[in-house]
Amino acid sequence: MMKTVFSRAQPILVENVRETLQDLGFPESIKVADLGCSSGQNTFFAMSGIVNTILASYQETSRNAPEIDCCLNDLPNNDFNMTFKWASSFDKDLKMDVKGRCFLSGVPGSFYSRLFPSKSLNFVHSACSIHWLSKVPEGLEDNKKNVYIRNPCPLSVSKSYLDQFQKDFSLFLKMRSEEVVSNGRMVLIFKGRNASDPLYRESCHYWSLLTDSLLDLVSEGIVKESDVDSFNLPFYDAGEEEVREVVQREGSFKINDIETHEHLVPYKYSEEDHDDETCRLKFGEMMASRKRSITEPMLVAHFGDAIIDRLFEKYAQNAARYYIVSRSCNKTTVNFVVSLTRK
Amino acid sequence: MMKTVFSRAQPILVENVRETLQDLGFPESIKVADLGCSSGQNTFFAMSGIVNTILASYQETSRNAPEIDCCLNDLPNNDFNMTFKWASSFDKDLKMDVKGRCFLSGVPGSFYSRLFPSKSLNFVHSACSIHWLSKVPEGLEDNKKNVYIRNPCPLSVSKSYLDQFQKDFSLFLKMRSEEVVSNGRMVLIFKGRNASDPLYRESCHYWSLLTDSLLDLVSEGIVKESDVDSFNLPFYDAGEEEVREVVQREGSFKINDIETHEHLVPYKYSEEDHDDETCRLKFGEMMASRKRSITEPMLVAHFGDAIIDRLFEKYAQNAARYYIVSRSCNKTTVNFVVSLTRK
């Protein structure tokens, strides 16, 4: 999934890196940050793309390669040890020998706070991270038996989520506006909402499936209903207009472009076998595994770890049930690829 | 031990930070690197001292606090996760609220290579690291039944070690000379050799004790003699003149000062009980535990992990045997505190 998202965003990333270099007059030293880098083998996917684009741009214009300072950011509990172990594969992915010219660092901290010195960054990338809010919004007391917005729901619930998103995304832009040089750029990739999708935030939404799975465990007596009532995800899938409005109101960045990438769900199955029972089950397990890897720490903190295996068995079953629905509407996952220039 | 070393070097560190700020005209942004930071609760000891000195210097001269970029470097296999977990205690140690003005990063890599962009560092600190060579020197075939230089030994052995130290320390200075701004400083603390110490590199030297302990295991049939013959430590305790010569020949840095700190061994025992049998054993165990924490990965890579517990039991016994000798000569550990200014 991450790789699919990256691959589709790659041309925009390349284009924006090239335009940044031109706007900045091909500086001798370039500092790049990847915010919410995570750990594992995809960590360096975007960064190596960025560095290779920089190297190619300088080469094409007969310039010496610049020094490139590559900063990988994530929360302090991210597995930076693992990230640094993958650093040797990063070097191998680079299309030129950059020994002594390409520098790597890990920056622990929330991107809703300052992470870098003033006017130090030339280019910022962030993928699959900004849809996570800084905290669970306040005022969700009426969002009972739900872990996220699920239509129909009280207006106060969706307003609480939108408020938090506006505060957080605005803060994110303000912090970056202090760190990014004038004419520096950001390419931000995050989950959004497609206003034209009739099934959005309805029963087949991936978080609705999590709610249903938790409620299944309530029926089984394994989870208390009040615990489900008090659990909400710190997540928001904004609409394009909501994104535009925050950027314009905050005022530090110009919007170059917002692309909407619709990712088909299920991703990997061929046309012929989509009604097959095995495929339905496989799809359910794949969805369960993805959502588990993202939400497990939050769920464990609230419900304890004893319920997790059972919960995601249920999730797999519930997701399998929506396999046909997902196919028929042909989209339930939307990513925005937002390109911004620091004014 | 680390804390003892730091505490005694602290006044020199403070003085050098203050002089650097004056020489650089109190810049608005300061980048500090700690090379070989290790992980654990001592990691931030030096860095918090440096940051507090910077903050105090700006306050005393009625300036606004600068932005401080704190870079912690160690080899990629260092436990950076642990380091970042201790970062909250770093914030607490600071004598001023530096939220949004003090930035932390981890930089994985060998300090015998480039780690930072050109002319980016204002101040560099390194403690207990530079006595480690980049690799085991070549030409140690004649250093049989020894893991380090032990007097008397073939001249070729001490020459191989000195050659490697000269190459490595010179390379270290060259790499830093590219990274440190003009008038920026380095304070380097590392193990050295006191030429006037008659017992140096003799039987009571901490590496001679390691050799003896390995040979004990050879007698017990647990370790092969040929494995001891082929094992040598990538370590060098230079003499002050050797240090001066490398700095002067490399040429990028001016020597402000080299202080020699002699640390009494044993460190923590009171006068009254130094002949007591329990104290001897305690001393042995303390020495064994310190040397184990430093050398275990190297020993495991060469001898396997099955021998380690037994080896350091032997080490504790051998160290205890030298307890009285250590007391009578009153010094077996020497640290140099070297202050250098980039020309």
Side-chain angles (χ1 to χ4, degrees):
Chain A
M1 168 59 184
M2 285 286 275
K3 211 142 189 173
T4 318
V5 173
F6 280 136
S7 301
R8 290 194 57 188
Q10 189 80 351
I12 306 174
L13 196 57
V14 168
E15 186 193 322
N16 274 281
V17 169
R18 286 181 174 273
E19 288 175 3
T20 306
L21 297 176
Q22 274 168 354
D23 292 348
L24 298 178
F26 291 88
E28 283 180 13
S29 178
I30 297 172
K31 189 163 173 174
V32 179
D34 190 14
L35 307 180
C37 65
S38 184
S39 57
Q41 58 176 332
N42 287 330
T43 306
F44 291 96
F45 195 80
M47 193 56 94
S48 56
I50 293 168
V51 171
N52 279 329
T53 304
I54 294 173
L55 295 172
S57 303
Y58 277 69
Q59 201 171 34
E60 287 160 17
T61 52
S62 305
R63 290 176 165 91
N64 290 329
E67 292 192 339
I68 310 174
D69 203 2
C70 304
C71 308
L72 298 172
N73 152 264
D74 212 318
L75 291 171
N77 61 4
N78 181 53
D79 190 349
F80 281 96
N81 289 351
M82 178 69 83
T83 301
F84 292 158
K85 284 201 184 86
W86 282 99
S88 51
S89 79
F90 173 50
D91 285 343
K92 275 181 220 138
D93 284 345
L94 300 183
K95 288 180 182 141
M96 205 183 282
D97 179 20
V98 289
K99 209 182 149 205
R101 306 196 72 77
C102 189
F103 310 103
L104 183 70
S105 60
V107 177
S110 162
F111 50 54
Y112 295 121
S113 67
R114 281 289 300 276
L115 295 166
F116 302 95
S118 298
K119 298 187 184 19
S120 64
L121 296 177
N122 300 106
F123 194 85
V124 172
H125 171 266
S126 178
C128 308
S129 299
I130 295 177
H131 44 243
W132 291 106
L133 302 171
S134 68
K135 58 171 192 170
V136 176
E138 283 166 25
L140 295 180
E141 293 73 16
D142 292 342
N143 200 31
K144 297 199 193 302
K145 295 193 188 181
N146 271 324
V147 302
Y148 184 54
I149 304 166
R150 179 182 199 162
N151 294 329
C153 83
L155 200 66
S156 69
V157 170
S158 49
K159 189 172 177 317
S160 285
Y161 268 105
L162 176 58
D163 281 354
Q164 189 65 44
F165 169 75
Q166 288 172 332
K167 268 186 217 158
D168 281 345
F169 189 42
S170 186
L171 182 61
F172 175 89
L173 294 170
K174 183 173 187 307
M175 297 294 103
R176 298 299 84 72
S177 76
E178 296 172 4
E179 295 166 353
V180 176
V181 300
S182 180
N183 286 318
R185 290 200 190 198
M186 305 206 285
V187 170
L188 312 175
I189 306 163
F190 52 96
K191 276 196 196 300
R193 192 170 79 244
N194 189 342
S196 70
D197 183 341
L199 287 174
Y200 219 81
R201 290 181 182 162
E202 306 251 336
S203 298
C204 72
H205 189 275
Y206 39 85
W207 297 142
S208 300
L209 296 175
L210 183 60
T211 297
D212 291 345
S213 309
L214 281 165
L215 292 175
D216 288 344
L217 299 199
V218 170
S219 318
E220 292 182 5
I222 300 173
V223 165
K224 277 192 282 183
E225 191 172 307
S226 61
D227 281 350
V228 178
D229 290 348
S230 61
F231 181 76
N232 290 286
L233 287 168
F235 172 92
Y236 191 72
D237 41 7
E240 184 176 329
E241 273 315 304
E242 291 167 352
V243 173
R244 282 189 188 276
E245 200 187 306
V246 174
V247 177
Q248 278 155 7
R249 201 182 298 169
E250 196 279 329
S252 310
F253 290 89
K254 181 172 83 70
I255 300 174
N256 304 314
D257 190 30
I258 300 186
E259 279 199 17
T260 303
H261 289 179
E262 291 173 355
H263 291 274
L264 294 182
V265 177
Y267 310 102
K268 281 181 181 168
Y269 295 90
S270 61
E271 275 304 320
E272 305 89 59
D273 57 14
H274 74 271
D275 284 326
D276 179 59
E277 180 64 13
T278 317
C279 258
R280 283 165 47 98
L281 296 178
K282 262 195 193 166
F283 168 69
E285 280 165 19
M286 180 188 67
M287 287 291 288
S289 149
R290 282 177 187 165
K291 295 309 165 197
R292 179 172 181 162
S293 70
I294 300 170
T295 56
E296 184 159 350
M298 290 176 244
L299 290 164
V300 167
H302 191 85
F303 297 100
D305 54 11
I307 68 151
I308 303 297
D309 285 343
R310 182 78 185 132
L311 177 63
F312 284 97
E313 276 172 33
K314 286 286 174 194
Y315 193 104
Q317 291 164 16
N318 288 325
R321 199 163 3 109
Y322 279 101
Y323 180 64
I324 306 298
V325 183
S326 301
R327 297 259 350 148
S328 68
C329 76
N330 248 357
K331 51 182 189 297
T332 56
T333 292
V334 168
N335 277 288
F336 291 133
V337 184
V338 181
S339 151
L340 304 173
T341 296
R342 177 75 173 96
K343 288 178 183 169
Chain B
M1 168 58 185
M2 285 286 275
K3 209 140 191 175
T4 318
V5 173
F6 281 135
S7 302
R8 289 194 59 189
Q10 189 78 352
I12 306 174
L13 196 56
V14 167
E15 186 193 322
N16 274 280
V17 169
R18 287 182 173 273
E19 289 175 3
T20 307
L21 297 176
Q22 274 168 355
D23 292 347
L24 298 178
F26 291 88
E28 283 179 13
S29 179
I30 297 171
K31 189 163 173 175
V32 180
D34 191 13
L35 307 180
C37 64
S38 184
S39 58
Q41 57 175 332
N42 287 331
T43 307
F44 291 96
F45 194 80
M47 192 56 94
S48 56
I50 293 169
V51 171
N52 279 328
T53 303
I54 294 173
L55 295 173
S57 302
Y58 277 68
Q59 201 171 34
E60 286 160 17
T61 52
S62 306
R63 291 175 164 92
N64 290 331
E67 292 191 338
I68 310 173
D69 203 1
C70 304
C71 309
L72 298 171
N73 152 264
D74 212 317
L75 291 171
N77 62 3
N78 182 52
D79 190 349
F80 281 96
N81 289 351
M82 178 67 84
T83 301
F84 293 157
K85 284 202 183 84
W86 281 99
S88 51
S89 79
F90 173 49
D91 285 345
K92 275 181 219 137
D93 283 346
L94 301 183
K95 288 181 182 140
M96 204 183 283
D97 179 19
V98 289
K99 208 183 150 204
R101 306 198 70 77
C102 189
F103 310 103
L104 182 70
S105 60
V107 177
S110 162
F111 49 54
Y112 295 120
S113 67
R114 281 289 300 277
L115 295 167
F116 302 95
S118 298
K119 298 187 184 19
S120 64
L121 296 177
N122 301 106
F123 194 85
V124 172
H125 171 265
S126 177
C128 307
S129 299
I130 296 176
H131 43 243
W132 291 106
L133 302 171
S134 68
K135 59 172 192 167
V136 176
E138 283 165 23
L140 295 181
E141 293 73 17
D142 292 340
N143 200 31
K144 298 199 192 303
K145 295 193 187 181
N146 271 326
V147 302
Y148 184 56
I149 304 165
R150 180 181 199 163
N151 292 331
C153 82
L155 199 64
S156 70
V157 170
S158 50
K159 189 173 177 315
S160 285
Y161 268 105
L162 175 58
D163 281 355
Q164 190 64 46
F165 169 76
Q166 288 172 331
K167 269 187 215 157
D168 282 344
F169 189 43
S170 187
L171 181 61
F172 175 90
L173 294 170
K174 184 172 185 309
M175 297 293 105
R176 300 297 86 71
S177 76
E178 296 172 3
E179 296 166 352
V180 176
V181 300
S182 180
N183 286 318
R185 289 199 190 198
M186 306 207 284
V187 171
L188 311 176
I189 307 164
F190 52 96
K191 276 196 196 301
R193 190 170 82 244
N194 189 341
S196 70
D197 184 342
L199 288 174
Y200 218 79
R201 290 180 181 163
E202 306 248 337
S203 298
C204 72
H205 189 274
Y206 39 86
W207 297 141
S208 300
L209 296 175
L210 183 60
T211 297
D212 291 345
S213 309
L214 281 164
L215 293 175
D216 288 345
L217 300 199
V218 170
S219 316
E220 292 182 4
I222 302 173
V223 165
K224 277 192 284 181
E225 190 171 309
S226 61
D227 281 350
V228 178
D229 289 349
S230 61
F231 181 77
N232 290 287
L233 287 169
F235 172 92
Y236 190 72
D237 42 8
E240 183 177 330
E241 274 315 304
E242 291 167 352
V243 173
R244 283 188 187 276
E245 201 187 304
V246 174
V247 177
Q248 278 154 7
R249 203 185 296 169
E250 197 279 328
S252 309
F253 290 90
K254 181 172 81 72
I255 299 174
N256 303 315
D257 190 31
I258 299 185
E259 279 199 17
T260 304
H261 289 179
E262 291 173 354
H263 291 273
L264 295 183
V265 177
Y267 310 101
K268 282 182 181 167
Y269 295 90
S270 61
E271 277 302 320
E272 306 89 59
D273 56 15
H274 74 273
D275 284 327
D276 179 59
E277 180 63 14
T278 317
C279 260
R280 282 166 48 99
L281 296 178
K282 263 196 193 164
F283 167 69
E285 281 165 18
M286 180 188 69
M287 287 291 288
S289 148
R290 283 178 186 165
K291 296 308 166 197
R292 178 172 181 161
S293 70
I294 300 171
T295 56
E296 185 160 350
M298 292 177 241
L299 291 164
V300 167
H302 191 85
F303 296 99
D305 53 13
I307 69 151
I308 304 296
D309 285 344
R310 183 76 185 133
L311 176 63
F312 285 97
E313 275 172 34
K314 286 285 176 194
Y315 193 105
Q317 290 164 17
N318 288 326
R321 197 159 10 105
Y322 278 101
Y323 179 65
I324 306 298
V325 183
S326 301
R327 298 259 350 148
S328 68
C329 78
N330 250 357
K331 50 182 191 298
T332 56
T333 292
V334 169
N335 277 289
F336 292 133
V337 184
V338 180
S339 150
L340 304 173
T341 296
R342 177 75 173 96
K343 288 177 184 169

